[in-house]
């Protein structure tokens, strides 16, 4: 395979409009990556460009046929959502609106990638606009609520494109993209911009851009990746990349948005779902993926206290390393002090 092909496969690559999906899994931890680079073509579970498939039944593409139609709906919408020939507007730039659009069919793919072409724009000046868009992969659909126009205590995955800092004390720069996984037990705290429940996030300047703005979500083998293309460079930029995420199959894709005292137009131009061809072990194949409880097997620790949180192997190792270093430093300092004292003693007596 040509070197260029490798870059294409392993980097985020260019977002090529005519080409389905992103090439292969994203960049991994460096060591396995190098190993895989060496092993290259013999590794069976790497997807190549041709083995990713657009799934029409889970995609929202212009012209929006089958949206909201009664006979064979692919997508249903609710609330302030309106459909034009060019976009689906979840909310207009007006106060106290909420709207959503939901895929009609549950998704039974184990590995997928969703590309969302969206536009958030309005008359509001900096920090006088809100609230943002949420992208969903959840058990329930079409239920309005306080979380960007959709229900709280949801089951599944949410990606928040939050344009307004409700938490005035935050040092964060908005708009801000974050992800949350919920088994129904967690509540999204709007006043804190979901700070306590977010798994990861990044600042992303997507509002009032003159050009097209895109976001991609990839879920494969427990790894959740969010990428953005906001600079009109036709290039994916990494925003979120976490592992240990468990999501069932059989949930619904959706998008919702809400406005409050502040508002914006929240538009979805397209949502394209690609199946990623990834091999799973027989044990993985044998479990009932619809029964998986949404969960994440790591807990992000609050900023500044990097050693709090659950004691995973890595943390234990770090703690032991710190302890060992501490002991060594103490021993060296002790030895030096002892020696100095001895010398002084020798001089005095
Ligand atoms: C749901 O998640 C919470 C914490 O995130 C956990 O304590 C609880 O056990 C989970 N419930 C189920 C049914 O898995
Ligand atoms: Ca907010």
């Amino acid at each position: 395979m040509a070197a260029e092909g490798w870059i294409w496969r392993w980097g985020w690559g260019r977002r090529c409009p005519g080409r389905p999906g992103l090439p292969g899994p994203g960049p991994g931890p460096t060591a396995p990556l190098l190993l895989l680079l060496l092993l290259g073509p013999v590794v069976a579970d790497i997807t190549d460009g041709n083995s990713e498939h657009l799934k029409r039944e889970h995609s929202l593409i212009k012209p929006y046929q089958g949206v909201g139609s009664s006979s064979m709906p692919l997508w249903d919408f609710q609330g302030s959502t309106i459909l034009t020939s060019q976009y689906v507007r979840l909310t207009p730039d007006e106060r106290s609106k909420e709207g959503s659009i939901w895929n009609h069919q549950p998704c039974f793919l184990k590995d997928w990638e969703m590309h969302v072409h969206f536009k958030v724009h309005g008359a509001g000046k900096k920090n006088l606009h809100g609230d943002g868009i949420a992208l969903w992969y959840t058990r329930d659909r079409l239920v309005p609520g306080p979380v960007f126009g959709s229900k709280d205590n949801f089951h599944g995955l949410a990606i928040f494109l939050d344009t307004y800092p409700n938490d005035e004390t935050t040092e964060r720069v908005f708009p801000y993209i974050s992800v949350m996984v919920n088994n129904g037990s967690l509540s999204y705290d709007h006043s804190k911009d979901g700070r306590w429940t977010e798994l990861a996030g990044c600042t992303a300047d997507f509002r009032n851009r003159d050009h097209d703005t895109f976001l991609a979500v990839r879920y494969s083998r427990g790894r959740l990746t969010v990428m953005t293309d906001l600079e009109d460079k036709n290039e994916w930029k990494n925003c979120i990349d976490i592992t240990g995420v468990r999501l069932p199959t059989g949930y619904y894709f959706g998008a919702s948005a809400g406005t409050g005292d502040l508002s914006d137009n929240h538009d979805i131009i397209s949502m394209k779902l690609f199946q990623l061809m990834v091999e799973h072990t027989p044990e993985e194949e044998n479990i009932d993926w619809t029964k998986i409880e949404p969960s994440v097997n790591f807990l992000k620790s609050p900023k500044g206290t990097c050693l709090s949180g659950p004691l995973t192997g890595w943390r234990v190792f770090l703690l032991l390393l710190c302890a060992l270093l501490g002991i060594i430093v103490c021993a060296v300092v002790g030895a030096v002090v002892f020696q100095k004292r001895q010398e002084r003693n020798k001089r005095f007596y």
Side-chain angles (χ1 to χ4, degrees):
M1 173 166 298
E4 195 193 320
W6 279 117
I7 295 163
W8 180 220
R9 274 165 86 160
W10 288 102
W12 286 121
R14 295 174 69 74
R15 188 188 51 74
C16 181
R19 193 174 177 284
L22 281 175
T30 317
L33 179 77
L34 283 177
L35 189 68
L36 285 171
L37 276 175
L38 292 174
L39 295 176
V42 299
V43 180
D45 62 334
I46 297 174
T47 59
D48 59 50
N50 299 324
S51 54
E52 288 147 3
H53 304 291
L54 177 72
K55 291 290 164 184
R56 274 307 306 227
E57 65 273 30
H58 300 302
S59 298
L60 176 73
I61 303 170
K62 278 190 279 192
Y64 306 115
Q65 279 157 358
V67 178
S69 75
S70 52
S71 55
M72 266 263 298
L74 284 179
W75 293 78
D76 299 303
F77 58 93
Q78 172 272 325
S80 58
T81 306
I82 56 150
L83 211 66
T84 75
S85 62
Q86 297 304 311
Y87 52 82
V88 176
R89 179 154 292 169
L90 300 172
T91 77
D93 191 359
E94 290 167 25
R95 292 166 76 159
S96 303
K97 299 285 179 189
E98 62 84 15
S100 65
I101 183 155
W102 288 91
N103 195 196
H104 193 74
Q105 297 178 29
C107 176
F108 290 100
L109 302 174
K110 294 186 176 81
D111 305 271
W112 49 262
E113 186 166 303
M114 176 68 92
H115 292 191
V116 183
H117 182 185
F118 68 100
K119 190 170 176 68
V120 178
H121 56 115
K125 295 276 180 307
K126 188 169 165 53
N127 283 350
L128 287 172
H129 52 82
D131 288 311
I133 296 178
L135 303 168
W136 304 96
Y137 175 70
T138 53
R139 189 189 71 182
D140 306 312
R141 59 196 282 276
L142 284 168
V143 187
V147 186
F148 298 91
S150 195
K151 80 182 282 261
D152 201 359
N153 297 97
F154 58 92
H155 288 73
L157 169 72
I159 296 116
F160 302 120
L161 284 66
D162 189 350
T163 51
Y164 181 72
N166 297 73
D167 180 5
E168 282 161 7
T169 67
T170 189
E171 74 282 7
R172 251 175 206 174
V173 179
F174 279 67
Y176 191 84
I177 299 176
S178 65
V179 295
M180 175 174 172
V181 168
N182 199 352
N183 62 7
S185 69
L186 300 174
S187 181
Y188 177 86
D189 184 354
H190 237 299
S191 65
K192 292 286 170 200
D193 302 303
R195 185 68 166 249
W196 311 129
T197 47
E198 82 167 53
L199 298 169
C202 77
T203 292
D205 187 11
F206 56 75
R207 185 177 176 272
N208 270 357
R209 304 301 295 254
D210 293 331
H211 49 261
D212 292 335
T213 48
F214 300 86
L215 179 141
V217 187
R218 175 190 283 156
Y219 178 67
S220 179
R221 304 173 141 216
R223 185 168 177 186
L224 180 73
T225 319
V226 176
M227 296 151 280
T228 57
D229 176 2
L230 309 173
E231 301 303 327
D232 205 18
K233 289 197 193 126
N234 215 24
E235 240 168 40
W236 290 116
K237 194 173 155 213
N238 206 5
C239 168
I240 291 163
D241 189 358
I242 55 174
T243 55
V245 177
R246 283 171 58 78
L247 294 169
T249 57
Y251 277 14
Y252 296 95
F253 289 106
S256 70
T259 64
D261 290 341
L262 301 168
S263 64
D264 253 338
N265 298 297
H266 296 103
D267 300 347
I268 300 284
I269 293 106
S270 70
M271 292 173 78
K272 294 182 184 170
L273 188 81
F274 300 97
Q275 176 176 19
L276 302 176
M277 305 308 278
V278 175
E279 276 181 23
H280 289 271
T281 62
E283 299 90 76
E284 284 174 335
E285 294 288 357
N286 281 337
I287 61 167
D288 183 355
W289 282 56
T290 64
K291 297 275 190 306
I292 292 173
E293 191 76 22
S295 68
V296 182
N297 63 17
F298 85 97
L299 269 179
K300 203 193 86 162
S301 48
K303 277 215 174 75
T305 53
C306 73
L307 286 178
S308 72
L311 286 177
T312 59
W314 180 237
R315 282 181 199 283
V316 169
F317 172 70
L318 273 183
L319 274 177
L320 286 178
L321 196 69
C322 285
L324 196 66
L325 281 177
I327 290 169
I328 290 171
V329 167
C330 283
V332 168
V333 169
V336 168
V337 167
F338 184 69
Q339 208 173 4
K340 282 263 158 68
R341 226 175 243 177
Q342 291 272 322
E343 276 170 20
R344 226 174 11 191
N345 286 352
K346 261 188 235 146
R347 265 187 268 131
F348 283 145
Y349 296 101

